[in-house]
Amino acid sequence: MKILHTADWHLGDRLGRIDRTADLRVAVERVAALCKTERVDVLLVAGDLFSELARPDSLRETIRHWQEAFREFLEGGGTVLTLTGNHDNENFCQTLVSAMSLAAPTLGHMGETVPPGRLYLAADPTFVRLEDRLGGFPVQFVLMPYPTPGRYFKGDAALKYGSPEEKNKLLVAAWADALREIRAHPKYDPKAPAVLSAHVHVHGSSVGPSLFRITEEEDVVVEGADLPEQFDYVALGHIHKPQWLGAAKHVRYSGSIERMDLGEAGDQKGVVIVEIGPDGRNGDPGVLSLPATPIY
């Protein structure tokens, strides 16, 4: 199963007074072209699909452009797996998930095998299975959106913190608990190939000049020391600087698909391609470069 990992599209974004729609649409079309030339089975977008600056009419046009760009990929049996990031509007994304579930109520059930040829958006922690189109073996995809109280706190936990620092500490614990619960789920097979996709700041990553429209004090930083042993590939989003963590070349931030501000002026943008077989990952992931708009 060939997977193309990307993240941080920020569709509908603006840089000051400059509308970035045209630049970002070109980048999306380049990703769609790579899905075709690389014969990709799964496009994995690790959060921040939309910009918080996007207007409702812009979001409508963005989704319409998605349909056009990925129609051939989806009609050919390709699958798009996505999850929500810190810049994705929670209410909008939950509404989108509910509407999609009315059409095909699949993604809401932990561990279900989902049919190919569709787009799936995870607004809460979950995991699904996809069968390889040729080999027929299953691959488990664990999808972990950005840690927010609405997505991770249960019951009245959201009312029990008295400061931003305490909230972040509780969110770090809730993120780890959610991941632990998924891996302990009766339908999760620790012997089967597994891919984690998360929109989160993992301890030890290199941020670059700055985080994108969020301070380090506001950010939630989770531990990831066990991730290389737990998963055949870890597809991360949130930090726009492409990198892998430590010696584990299969734990990666793909980076954003465009230069989003001056802090990214020197970044080389791209996507990551990885292949998963019935016994796990086949070799090291590779990087496919994307042209990026100069920012002065």
Side-chain angles (χ1 to χ4, degrees):
M1 180 180 290
K2 192 173 282 190
I3 300 167
L4 191 149
H5 162 213
T6 176
D8 298 284
W9 290 11
H10 295 282
L11 301 177
D13 200 54
R14 302 182 65 84
L15 181 56
R17 293 175 293 175
I18 301 170
D19 188 345
R20 299 301 309 282
T21 297
D23 296 333
L24 292 166
R25 286 188 178 181
V26 168
V28 168
E29 290 163 6
R30 286 173 177 148
V31 171
L34 287 174
C35 287
K36 180 178 180 179
T37 58
E38 296 295 324
R39 299 183 178 180
V40 167
D41 298 297
V42 178
L43 172 62
L44 190 52
V45 188
D48 275 356
L49 286 82
F50 307 109
S51 170
E52 76 278 19
L53 303 179
R55 302 184 307 272
D57 57 331
S58 174
L59 290 172
R60 184 180 65 246
E61 292 303 318
T62 292
I63 293 174
R64 185 176 298 167
H65 180 254
W66 261 58
Q67 290 175 318
E68 295 172 357
F70 292 101
R71 178 179 288 112
E72 185 178 347
F73 175 68
L74 294 169
E75 288 177 349
T79 304
V80 183
L81 292 178
T82 68
L83 50 120
T84 50
N86 57 304
H87 289 281
D88 291 312
N89 182 284
E90 283 194 61
N91 289 330
F92 171 76
C93 288
Q94 287 285 3
T95 302
L96 190 58
V97 169
S98 298
M100 292 163 65
S101 297
L102 284 173
T106 311
L107 190 57
H109 304 290
M110 285 271 195
E112 291 295 319
T113 299
V114 297
R118 278 199 58 195
L119 180 148
Y120 298 95
L121 172 63
D124 295 297
T126 189
F127 82 101
V128 298
R129 293 169 175 266
L130 272 173
E131 287 190 356
D132 181 68
R133 290 188 283 182
L134 296 178
F137 59 89
V139 178
Q140 301 170 119
F141 288 86
V142 177
L143 307 174
M144 298 285 287
Y146 184 79
T148 64
R151 293 168 185 150
Y152 284 85
F153 286 166
K154 298 177 181 178
D156 59 351
L159 305 175
K160 292 184 177 179
Y161 58 85
S163 67
E165 294 77 14
E166 188 177 356
K167 181 186 76 170
N168 284 358
K169 185 177 180 180
L170 290 171
L171 282 170
V172 168
W175 190 92
D177 289 344
L179 184 57
R180 195 177 301 112
E181 288 173 8
I182 286 175
R183 298 189 74 248
H185 193 278
K187 290 187 177 181
Y188 188 88
D189 183 0
K191 296 181 181 179
V195 174
L196 167 66
S197 184
H199 193 89
V200 71
H201 187 163
V202 178
H203 184 76
S205 54
S206 174
V207 172
S210 65
L211 288 165
F212 186 64
R213 294 192 194 132
I214 185 173
T215 66
E216 293 195 44
E217 292 75 20
E218 295 172 314
D219 206 16
V220 180
V221 184
V222 304
E223 294 296 331
D226 296 332
L227 298 181
E229 290 75 37
Q230 293 173 344
F231 297 97
D232 296 287
Y233 183 68
V234 180
L236 298 172
H238 183 48
I239 292 176
H240 290 192
K241 182 180 179 181
Q243 61 193 282
W244 65 76
L245 301 189
K249 291 189 177 181
H250 65 288
V251 180
R252 296 211 176 205
Y253 284 98
S254 64
S256 50
I257 58 173
E258 249 288 13
R259 295 177 179 134
M260 301 306 301
D261 61 17
L262 191 59
E264 301 175 37
D267 287 0
Q268 173 60 60
K269 299 303 180 182
V271 297
V272 183
I273 193 97
V274 62
E275 192 169 320
I276 305 292
D279 299 319
R281 186 181 65 260
N282 295 337
D284 288 334
V287 176
L288 305 174
S289 297
L290 291 174
T293 305
I295 296 182
Y296 302 99

